[in-house]
Amino acid sequence: MKSVCRRGPCRAPLWFSWSSRVVLWSTGRKKEVHLLTCYQLSNPGRLLDYPAHMEGQIWFLPRSLQLTGFQAYKLRVTHLYQLKQHNILASVGEDEEGINPLVKIWNLEKRDGGNPLCTRIFPAIPGTEPTVVSCLTVHENLNFMAIGFTDGSVTLNKGDITRDRHSKTQILHKGNYPVTGLAFRQAGKTTHLFVVTTENVQSYIVSGKDYPRVELDTHGCGLRCSALSDPSQDLQFIVAGDECVYLYQPDERGPCFAFEGHKLIAHWFRGYLIIVSRDRKVSPKSEFTSRDSQSSDKQILNIYDLCNKFIAYSTVFEDVVDVLAEWGSLYVLTRDGRVHALQEKDTQTKLEMLFKKNLFEMAINLAKSQHLDSDGLAQIFMQYGDHLYSKGNHDGAVQQYIRTIGKLEPSYVIRKFLDAQRIHNLTAYLQTLHRQSLANADHTTLLLNCYTKLKDSSKLEEFIKKKSESEVHFDVETAIKVLRQAGYYSHALYLAENHAHHEWYLKIQLEDIKNYQEALRYIGKLPFEQAESNMKRYGKILMHHIPEQTTQLLKGLCTDYRPSLEGRSDREAPGCRANSEEFIPIFANNPRELKAFLEHMSEVQPDSPQGIYDTLLELRLQNWAHEKDPQVKEKLHAEAISLLKSGRFCDVFDKALVLCQMHDFQDGVLYLYEQGKLFQQIMHYHMQHEQYRQVISVCERHGEQDPSLWEQALSYFARKEEDCKEYVAAVLKHIENKNLMPPLLVVQTLAHNSTATLSVIRDYLVQKLQKQSQQIAQDELRVRRYREETTRIRQEIQELKASPKIFQKTKCSICNSALELPSVHFLCGHSFHQHCFESYSESDADCPTCLPENRKVMDMIRAQEQKRDLHDQFQHQLKCSNDSFSVIADYFGRGVFNKLTLLTDPPTARLTSSLEAGLQRDLLMHSRRGT
């Protein structure tokens, strides 16, 4: 990293007042403590040259400030190093006169006679040349210990420092300048050792074998003017020179800060750099000269926050001995024997102090370094934005408000920038709000209105033209509405087309731009369901302006629709078809296109809905009714008849009939009458138009299905005053042949016609009388035959009662074979083999030969009895009922009075039939089985 020299952090004199002014650190004088030999509080320190030090004791100062100690050396203690992660203390001192320093390792958890256990003692000087120890450091893993000397050499003790046999001591560095500072830095598995002298800074990799060296700088520092930072500053090595404070990585020099004053002490504590310096330029004194030669000067203690670039605390002390860190506080030792405690204030108090001084940037940096949550940061940003807004710095204010998005209600910010002069700031805020997908429809509307008022087409296009759906951070439908309202039709169309808002696309094309061709082309590209719904919605508008193209699209939509892609239909996709009947209203004012559409559907798709054929019939009948050209009218007539005969109107017969009647299409009416078997209506039509021959023709064609047609024809001709003898004769002839009417009714019917004379019906009456005479003769002959038969049967019955019956049959009446026993004989004279009888008989009591005839007689008898009973019941109900008409209607509804056969027999014939039935019943009742 390139070395950069920076100016020191900003000062806030009013902020760092000693007493009444607001400071980030509070001060308080603690109880005076006279240190007798050493001030080591869990951190590396240096022995003060008090007389008591000569006693070689190490003293412990707990939080209660009650001193305890033990004898560590016979003469003096010079250096101590307390490890942070282990309860191990390393010390350097002298047991005898001369320059022969010893290193002792103390285990503070174990005791030896009441004192800490000394686990190892070894000389600090590896060779024979005497020199003074200047500094000491120990790695936290207990595998490295480095000792610096005033002759510029550094020894490295590698291995377990608490044991002799697991440790190895060697000279790591030799130089010409006193070593003033040492520090280990662990990066992964690599261990670096920083070595600083009065003239240079260098680093070694001590975790390897060759100990490669890197010279970092040619500037050094004095004793106690170097320190190792914490991870917040990436474990950089800090060297406090007189001109600048330098930061180093193991392989290069980092940034530097221009802090004024001659540096006396440098210390690192909880992310802060503590510097003690003189406030006037004096020539530096050697740390190794006599203390009496040094004058007492005013010294400034500054606490720097390097991350946030400000001085956290600054005050003046008289002759600072050292600065210690323990129990979460800083302790400043002065030469007058006092300990001054500096305690850090809580984060909220710091922020409030910064807010009062309007130092919001510092507050923000401080909050971030203290890992304040997002809600707390958002509150700071809001206050900073409010401050800038009140000062008129709207650009800066909106940048702070942007940082509150997601935490602060957007309406709070929007209300501040609704003024037209601040529309740029509002636009910037709304843009960020959309990018973070936190905007609602109102925000989108407001942003687009800002774009349109600014007429910033480039920003507008950048906002709406996103590459993918995931990049869209606004409500598309709202944007389309706003752009359409502002007249940005092309932008609105772009959004509608790219985000599949088909309805809005078509609405803009048809209602605003009036581009009907493009709208129709767009519908042709849509999927089937959407194309169908949009044609139903906009079909009338398109049909009004571009009827031919619209008709073609509807034909495809209702037969085999496939969306068109770049002008070509997708033939591989399965075709769909819409209900063509639903699109008929679109052609309300376009009969020519409607006819083409209906004819196309009836030809291409014969199974089209019935509404298609109904509408086509109505359209053809309208054209036929209004046509003046005879030839064209004849052609239209043929088309209408052809459509009626297509068989598509069987289920909607009434509707087709009404259409033909409305347009006075008589041929169609007659055809439908005939198809519906409405012969009475056909007859009525010809009667109305006095088409006599057609009346006779209808009777001849349909008289078999409806015989009453002849009666109606006779009544019709009877009412005519003109000469209709020819037609009356024809009707009478058919009535006579089919015996449709009694002669008396025929005479009564023709009596109403003044032109009809007796000669008209003479032949009819003569033939009728002759037939009746013949019928009477036949009936009388039948009566005589029945009487004779009855007499004979009675005689047989009497004989059967009075004399035995002799069975003389020799052959079986079924197989005509000779009778053999066993056999079966009946009184009627028939004999059967028993096996033949069992095979053909239906009942053991009935003769198989006589059974069919007997059954007919019995059926006749039962029918007559039922008729007699029905007549008696009808007469009884008719007499007893209060509403005789309802009784008659009920019997009519049950079909009792239905005319099944026209009987013209005389009354004598009926009497004869009744007598004959009685004789047959008697005969059957006396039949017996013979054996």
Side-chain angles (χ1 to χ4, degrees):
M1 181 173 66
K2 184 179 180 181
S3 175
V4 179
C5 185
R6 303 178 182 174
R7 293 186 59 84
C10 62
R11 288 181 177 271
L14 298 179
W15 186 14
F16 299 104
S17 173
W18 171 266
S19 56
S20 59
R21 293 172 184 171
V22 179
V23 294
L24 288 183
W25 289 74
S26 63
T27 63
R29 293 184 178 273
K30 297 291 183 179
K31 177 181 177 182
E32 295 185 6
V33 178
H34 297 276
L35 303 181
L36 300 180
T37 180
C38 180
Y39 55 87
Q40 173 61 26
L41 300 178
S42 301
N43 281 283
R46 182 180 183 277
L47 179 66
L48 295 182
D49 193 12
Y50 285 125
H53 297 165
M54 302 303 293
E55 298 177 1
Q57 289 185 339
I58 296 177
W59 294 87
F60 297 99
L61 180 65
R63 183 170 292 189
S64 62
L65 302 181
Q66 300 296 322
L67 287 173
T68 60
F70 69 96
Q71 188 71 36
Y73 292 89
K74 296 179 179 179
L75 294 182
R76 64 179 65 87
V77 181
T78 59
H79 294 82
L80 292 177
Y81 192 97
Q82 171 73 55
L83 277 76
K84 297 178 181 179
Q85 300 178 9
H86 303 277
N87 205 3
I88 300 296
L89 175 66
S91 64
V92 178
E94 298 175 1
D95 280 342
E96 59 186 18
E97 295 292 340
I99 304 176
N100 188 19
L102 292 177
V103 179
K104 294 185 179 182
I105 307 300
W106 306 90
N107 188 337
L108 303 180
E109 294 180 349
K110 298 181 179 181
R111 293 290 172 176
D112 182 13
N115 297 328
L117 176 64
C118 181
T119 61
R120 183 184 178 191
I121 302 175
F122 63 93
I125 302 173
T128 59
E129 185 175 351
T131 183
V132 177
V133 175
S134 60
C135 53
L136 169 69
T137 186
V138 181
H139 198 287
E140 289 294 329
N141 63 8
L142 299 177
N143 287 325
F144 297 99
M145 181 171 64
I147 304 174
F149 298 91
T150 56
D151 63 355
S153 62
V154 177
T155 62
L156 177 66
N157 190 284
K158 191 174 183 181
D160 189 352
I161 65 171
T162 62
R163 300 182 181 181
D164 288 328
R165 59 181 178 179
H166 295 149
S167 178
K168 179 181 180 181
T169 303
Q170 55 186 321
I171 298 176
L172 177 67
H173 171 78
K174 287 186 177 182
N176 298 323
Y177 305 104
V179 177
T180 57
L182 297 171
F184 284 108
R185 181 182 188 273
Q186 188 71 36
K189 296 183 178 181
T190 304
T191 304
H192 296 87
L193 174 65
F194 289 100
V195 178
V196 58
T197 68
T198 56
E199 298 297 332
N200 56 32
V201 180
Q202 46 208 326
S203 69
Y204 290 88
I205 300 177
V206 297
S207 56
K209 294 182 179 180
D210 298 331
Y211 308 131
R213 170 181 170 274
V214 177
E215 186 168 356
L216 301 176
D217 208 340
T218 58
H219 301 281
C221 66
L223 278 173
R224 298 183 297 165
C225 291
S226 62
L228 187 69
S229 67
D230 58 19
S232 65
Q233 285 292 329
D234 198 19
L235 296 175
Q236 296 185 95
F237 186 59
I238 301 172
V239 176
D242 289 343
E243 296 180 355
C244 295
V245 173
Y246 301 93
L247 277 67
Y248 297 93
Q249 294 284 354
D251 55 351
E252 61 181 354
R253 192 176 81 175
C256 64
F257 299 90
F259 297 156
E260 299 177 354
H262 173 58
K263 312 302 186 299
L264 301 177
I265 298 174
H267 190 73
W268 187 266
F269 173 71
R270 287 187 175 181
Y272 296 99
L273 175 63
I274 296 93
I275 298 290
V276 178
S277 60
R278 287 194 178 94
D279 60 350
R280 57 188 178 85
K281 295 182 179 180
V282 295
S283 58
K285 298 181 176 61
S286 173
E287 196 66 36
F288 306 100
T289 59
S290 172
R291 190 174 305 277
D292 296 335
S293 63
Q294 298 181 15
S295 61
S296 177
D297 298 316
K298 296 289 183 181
Q299 297 173 354
I300 300 175
L301 184 143
N302 288 324
I303 300 177
Y304 298 98
D305 188 338
L306 298 184
C307 293
N308 301 316
K309 307 296 186 297
F310 66 84
I311 299 175
Y313 180 74
S314 179
T315 189
V316 177
F317 286 98
E318 293 185 0
D319 209 353
V320 175
V321 175
D322 207 344
V323 178
L324 307 176
E326 187 60 53
W327 309 314
S329 302
L330 279 177
Y331 295 89
V332 181
L333 277 67
T334 56
R335 197 169 295 276
D336 58 3
R338 290 187 174 92
V339 177
H340 305 268
L342 302 179
Q343 294 180 344
E344 185 179 8
K345 294 184 178 180
D346 60 90
T347 303
Q348 188 60 38
T349 304
K350 298 177 187 177
L351 293 175
E352 291 176 357
M353 294 162 50
L354 293 170
F355 294 156
K356 291 179 181 179
K357 298 295 182 180
N358 294 327
L359 298 175
F360 293 98
E361 287 289 350
M362 286 188 180
I364 292 170
N365 294 332
L366 176 63
K368 290 181 178 179
S369 65
Q370 297 296 325
H371 305 290
L372 198 65
D373 59 10
S374 57
D375 293 333
L377 283 173
Q379 187 67 23
I380 299 174
F381 294 142
M382 184 194 72
Q383 295 185 33
Y384 191 18
D386 292 343
H387 171 70
L388 295 175
Y389 185 86
S390 63
K391 297 295 184 181
N393 185 1
H394 300 129
D395 293 341
V398 78
Q399 293 303 318
Q400 299 306 318
Y401 288 136
I402 286 174
R403 300 167 79 175
T404 66
I405 290 176
K407 301 296 181 181
L408 181 63
E409 178 63 34
S411 60
Y412 175 84
V413 180
I414 293 173
R415 283 195 298 268
K416 291 179 176 291
F417 296 97
L418 285 178
D419 193 342
Q421 297 179 353
R422 302 168 190 168
I423 193 171
H424 292 86
N425 304 125
L426 180 58
T427 303
Y429 180 80
L430 292 172
Q431 283 177 338
T432 309
L433 195 65
H434 281 80
R435 278 195 292 268
Q436 296 186 18
S437 301
L438 296 174
N440 57 28
D442 294 332
H443 299 151
T444 303
T445 302
L446 188 57
L447 178 58
L448 293 174
N449 285 328
C450 291
Y451 284 142
T452 55
K453 288 182 180 180
L454 293 173
K455 300 188 182 301
D456 193 346
S457 299
S458 60
K459 285 284 187 182
L460 181 59
E461 291 181 0
E462 181 183 354
F463 178 72
I464 66 174
K465 293 184 178 180
K466 304 296 182 180
K467 294 181 180 180
S468 64
E469 189 74 23
S470 60
E471 297 180 7
V472 177
H473 306 293
F474 57 88
D475 183 68
V476 176
E477 186 172 358
T478 301
I480 294 173
K481 292 179 183 178
V482 175
L483 293 172
R484 183 191 181 199
Q485 185 177 4
Y488 284 78
Y489 300 126
S490 60
H491 296 79
L493 287 174
Y494 174 85
L495 281 179
E497 183 174 6
N498 281 272
H499 297 280
H501 286 264
H502 311 305
E503 183 177 349
W504 282 107
Y505 183 91
L506 295 172
K507 189 178 293 186
I508 295 171
Q509 288 284 15
L510 296 174
E511 298 178 6
D512 300 323
I513 304 178
K514 311 293 184 183
N515 191 346
Y516 305 105
Q517 293 282 1
E518 180 62 26
L520 189 65
R521 181 197 64 79
Y522 185 81
I523 293 176
K525 297 192 303 180
L526 298 178
F528 170 74
E529 293 80 5
Q530 296 167 354
E532 180 185 19
S533 62
N534 283 288
M535 280 305 297
K536 291 177 181 178
R537 185 177 292 111
Y538 302 108
K540 288 186 178 180
I541 300 175
L542 295 170
M543 183 63 68
H544 177 71
H545 293 89
I546 46 174
E548 294 183 2
Q549 297 89 326
T550 305
T551 303
Q552 289 299 321
L553 179 58
L554 286 174
K555 289 179 180 179
L557 188 64
C558 297
T559 52
D560 188 20
Y561 177 78
R562 291 180 175 87
S564 61
L565 302 174
E566 301 296 333
R568 298 178 290 104
S569 296
D570 186 4
R571 296 299 177 187
E572 297 180 359
C576 301
R577 65 182 186 181
N579 186 355
S580 53
E581 186 177 0
E582 296 176 354
F583 296 96
I584 293 177
I586 294 176
F587 298 91
N589 299 318
N590 300 79
R592 183 170 61 87
E593 285 74 16
L594 175 60
K595 181 180 179 182
F597 174 74
L598 296 175
E599 290 178 348
H600 173 80
M601 294 306 302
S602 62
E603 294 174 1
V604 176
Q605 189 176 319
D607 59 341
S608 295
Q610 185 60 40
I612 294 294
Y613 292 94
D614 295 343
T615 309
L616 180 59
L617 176 62
E618 183 178 3
L619 192 61
R620 287 183 176 179
L621 293 176
Q622 286 180 356
N623 295 337
W624 173 83
H626 295 89
E627 185 57 52
K628 303 299 182 183
D629 189 345
Q631 294 182 353
V632 178
K633 194 176 186 70
E634 183 63 27
K635 180 180 178 182
L636 295 173
H637 180 278
E639 291 178 354
I641 290 295
S642 175
L643 183 59
L644 287 173
K645 293 182 178 181
S646 64
R648 296 294 307 185
F649 300 94
C650 298
D651 298 332
V652 289
F653 169 82
D654 295 340
K655 188 173 184 179
L657 183 60
V658 170
L659 290 174
C660 292
Q661 291 174 343
M662 287 174 56
H663 297 88
D664 198 22
F665 190 61
Q666 300 301 332
D667 290 347
V669 171
L670 293 175
Y671 173 78
L672 293 173
Y673 281 162
E674 185 173 354
Q675 293 298 311
K677 297 182 179 181
L678 301 177
F679 308 131
Q680 302 288 344
Q681 284 78 356
I682 299 175
M683 178 76 76
H684 182 68
Y685 172 79
H686 291 304
M687 290 177 178
Q688 282 183 334
H689 294 80
E690 297 184 350
Q691 298 174 350
Y692 303 147
R693 293 191 179 277
Q694 283 78 0
V695 171
I696 299 298
S697 177
V698 170
C699 292
E700 291 175 348
R701 291 199 309 271
H702 308 296
E704 294 293 336
Q705 302 177 54
D706 189 0
S708 63
L709 294 177
W710 291 103
E711 299 177 11
Q712 294 180 21
L714 182 62
S715 300
Y716 170 72
F717 288 124
R719 289 193 299 269
K720 291 295 180 182
E721 297 299 330
E722 55 190 84
D723 188 6
C724 299
K725 295 180 180 180
E726 178 184 356
Y727 306 109
V728 172
V731 173
L732 288 175
K733 182 178 180 180
H734 190 83
I735 289 175
E736 180 186 359
N737 293 336
K738 299 297 183 180
N739 196 20
L740 298 177
M741 295 176 65
L744 182 59
L745 183 57
V746 172
V747 174
Q748 290 176 352
T749 301
L750 292 176
H752 298 288
N753 192 337
S754 60
T755 61
T757 60
L758 187 60
S759 60
V760 176
I761 61 173
R762 182 183 58 185
D763 295 339
Y764 168 76
L765 292 175
V766 171
Q767 293 178 3
K768 196 66 176 174
L769 290 174
Q770 290 177 353
K771 288 183 178 180
Q772 289 183 354
S773 299
Q774 295 175 0
Q775 184 66 35
I776 291 171
Q778 293 176 359
D779 292 342
E780 290 176 349
L781 181 60
R782 189 179 299 112
V783 169
R784 286 195 300 270
R785 188 172 65 251
Y786 284 161
R787 286 177 177 174
E788 293 174 356
E789 183 68 20
T790 301
T791 302
R792 184 184 61 80
I793 292 174
R794 286 177 176 174
Q795 292 177 356
E796 291 181 358
I797 293 173
Q798 187 63 31
E799 290 178 357
L800 291 173
K801 290 180 179 181
S803 60
K805 176 69 174 179
I806 300 174
F807 300 101
Q808 297 179 345
K809 287 281 189 178
T810 60
K811 292 184 178 181
C812 177
S813 299
I814 294 177
C815 63
N816 291 324
S817 299
L819 280 175
E820 295 177 357
L821 294 177
S823 61
V824 179
H825 304 275
F826 285 90
L827 295 176
C828 61
H830 297 107
S831 300
F832 309 92
H833 292 114
Q834 185 176 1
H835 64 271
C836 291
F837 174 76
E838 291 175 352
S839 301
Y840 288 95
S841 66
E842 297 181 8
S843 173
D844 293 343
D846 296 323
C847 173
T849 304
C850 299
L851 182 60
E853 189 66 26
N854 294 340
R855 184 173 291 169
K856 290 181 182 179
V857 175
M858 293 301 296
D859 291 341
M860 292 172 61
I861 294 172
R862 281 193 295 269
Q864 290 175 359
E865 290 177 351
Q866 289 176 358
K867 287 182 180 180
R868 184 176 66 249
D869 295 340
L870 185 63
H871 174 74
D872 295 341
Q873 182 183 3
F874 172 71
Q875 292 294 336
H876 176 72
Q877 291 183 0
L878 196 62
K879 290 177 182 180
C880 298
S881 175
N882 295 327
D883 187 2
S884 301
F885 181 76
S886 62
V887 176
I888 298 173
D890 179 58
Y891 276 84
F892 265 109
R894 289 188 284 172
V896 175
F897 303 117
N898 287 352
K899 182 179 179 181
L900 301 176
T901 306
L902 182 62
L903 299 176
T904 57
D905 296 340
T908 56
R910 296 194 196 96
L911 293 174
T912 319
S913 301
S914 178
L915 179 60
E916 186 175 314
L919 293 174
Q920 292 174 348
R921 182 170 62 253
D922 292 339
L923 178 62
L924 293 175
M925 291 296 293
H926 292 84
S927 297
R928 292 289 188 272
R929 175 183 177 185
T931 54

